[in-house]
Amino acid sequence: MALMRKSNTLCSRVLKVLQPSSSVMSPCGAGAAQALSGEQQTCGWAPARKLHSFKRPNLHAIRNQLARFEGGSVELEMNNDNGIAILTLNNPRRMNSMTGKMMVDMADKVSELEEWHEGKALIMRGVDGNLCTGGDLTFVRKALHYGEEMAAYQHDTLTRLLNLPLISVALVQGHTLGGGAELSTACDFRVMSSSAKIGFVQIKMGLSTAWGAATRLTRLLGRRKAIDLLCSAKILLPDAALREGLVDYVLPKICDDELAETTNWLLRNLCAYDTNITRVVKSLVVSAELSMDHYQALDAERKLFGQTWGGPVQRKMLDANVKHK
């Protein structure tokens, strides 16, 4: 009990230090509205929800529109024993490509994770050996008028996911292309199957990035590598992705259970210590990184994407049934 009181006291002190000033903005979203407080009973994260200087989209209205585009689901399992949650994309007939409903599901699951104080890590995966192949083409064709709004909703969800006080890992399997590659950058780490492929192929479809990857990739790898990956549309095999620094670990070629191996890698390397302290460390890193520049970059990315979504090049590619070849 004494140890727990000391841990919670440390957590409270750190959370007080993390109280953002007017020049440092918190991640956007509807998950937790209260400011960081020294009265947290555990090391739960309660991010401040101050508005940004630019006009915020009406996420509730966008949510209602996206929910109309049905298909697939996003599921969440939270294990209080080992502190690891599993976020699963489930649309196997479409190689886990994202529908509007799945975007809403994911936002809801991130909100649940924001309130989960027993966790220390998160693995994002897809069913049947694929993480995600981007946007579901049926949804895309019906939502060509709704690109900037969809991007705004995904920016909110994925920024909240990245800034959770959980160490997050994307399990890159199968064809993780386009929007799937973007989703992987919303995690702290990427573990890749030895048979997987990953690539930012949006430019082939007449698009820029939709879900924040240009902003995150530049921060992750630097300007030159980000331009290279985004403009070349190269599709990387595991060894190349590891050399580029895009992935952090390649699973063994002989691996009966890739999710279990990813979980073991996470527990061995990043989650071996106290849950509360692990959450504090992640929150400290998030606090150090957050700035208005991030949101200005996302705003610009969203607006530029809105100019390409539904444009003549994308329509031409859709008519030709081009999809991440």
Side-chain angles (χ1 to χ4, degrees):
M1 290 297 294
L3 180 60
M4 178 62 73
R5 285 195 295 271
K6 287 182 179 179
S7 179
N8 289 339
T9 300
L10 172 61
C11 183
S12 298
R13 289 174 179 172
V14 172
L15 290 171
K16 275 190 174 182
V17 171
L18 292 182
Q19 180 71 41
S21 67
S22 59
S23 63
V24 179
M25 299 299 172
S26 66
C28 46
Q34 68 268 42
L36 293 171
S37 169
E39 297 179 359
Q40 296 292 316
Q41 292 182 0
T42 69
C43 203
W45 192 57
R49 300 289 175 183
K50 295 184 179 179
L51 293 177
H52 313 136
S53 60
F54 54 82
K55 185 177 180 180
R56 296 281 301 135
N58 184 339
L59 296 177
H60 181 72
I62 297 172
R63 172 194 176 88
N64 290 339
Q65 290 296 316
L66 289 174
R68 296 166 54 195
F69 299 100
E70 297 182 349
S73 62
V74 177
E75 298 154 7
L76 178 64
E77 298 176 36
M78 294 180 287
N79 187 326
N80 288 333
D81 293 329
N82 65 10
I84 294 180
I86 309 295
L87 186 71
T88 302
L89 279 63
N90 189 352
N91 191 12
R93 291 201 308 163
R94 304 280 184 160
M95 298 176 73
N96 299 322
S97 57
M98 295 282 285
T99 65
K101 174 188 176 295
M102 290 173 70
M103 294 175 189
V104 171
D105 283 356
M106 182 173 283
D108 289 345
K109 302 311 180 187
V110 171
S111 295
E112 290 183 41
L113 288 166
E114 286 177 329
E115 300 301 323
W116 185 44
H117 303 310
E118 292 75 29
K120 62 169 71 173
L122 166 71
I123 298 173
M124 180 169 63
R125 64 183 287 264
V127 300
D128 288 359
N130 287 289
L131 176 56
C132 175
T133 56
D136 179 273
L137 287 185
T138 301
F139 161 66
V140 168
R141 289 190 172 95
K142 292 179 179 178
L144 289 176
H145 64 292
Y146 215 59
E148 191 169 340
E149 293 84 354
M150 179 267 290
Y153 195 81
Q154 286 290 85
H155 286 175
D156 176 79
T157 298
L158 297 178
T159 297
R160 291 193 294 125
L161 187 154
L162 182 62
N163 291 342
L164 287 168
L166 307 172
I167 298 173
S168 55
V169 176
L171 175 51
V172 177
Q173 295 176 299
H175 292 72
T176 299
L177 303 174
E182 291 203 62
L183 289 181
S184 77
T185 66
C187 292
D188 301 312
F189 298 90
R190 280 145 296 283
V191 168
M192 191 169 182
S193 169
S194 62
S195 61
K197 299 177 181 179
I198 187 169
F200 300 87
V201 296
Q202 288 87 340
I203 199 167
K204 286 184 177 181
M205 296 290 293
L207 293 171
S208 59
T209 50
W211 299 342
T215 298
R216 294 189 296 270
L217 201 59
T218 301
R219 293 188 172 215
L220 179 66
L221 299 179
R223 177 191 294 240
R224 291 175 64 247
K225 285 189 176 182
I227 291 172
D228 179 32
L229 291 176
L230 295 171
C231 289
S232 69
K234 63 177 67 172
I235 296 175
L236 302 178
L237 297 177
D239 288 346
L242 190 63
R243 285 196 303 272
E244 292 284 355
L246 182 59
V247 304
D248 303 281
Y249 177 63
V250 176
L251 294 167
K253 289 184 179 180
I254 300 176
C255 184
D256 295 331
D257 189 335
E258 294 188 333
L259 176 59
E261 178 60 28
T262 301
T263 301
N264 291 335
W265 178 85
L266 189 52
L267 290 170
R268 285 195 311 268
N269 293 283
L270 298 164
C271 295
Y273 301 104
D274 178 82
T275 296
N276 284 337
I277 303 303
T278 300
R279 291 168 64 89
V280 166
V281 170
K282 172 65 189 289
S283 296
L284 284 168
V285 172
V286 170
S287 179
E289 187 181 48
L290 285 179
S291 71
M292 268 301 296
D293 290 341
H294 178 75
Y295 294 101
Q296 288 171 342
L298 284 176
D299 194 44
E301 188 170 343
R302 171 172 56 85
K303 289 178 178 177
L304 290 171
F305 169 73
Q307 295 173 22
T308 63
W309 180 269
V313 179
Q314 187 199 16
R315 290 176 185 272
K316 180 180 178 181
M317 296 301 105
L318 286 172
D319 289 341
N321 282 320
V322 174
K323 177 69 175 177
H324 307 338
K325 294 179 179 178

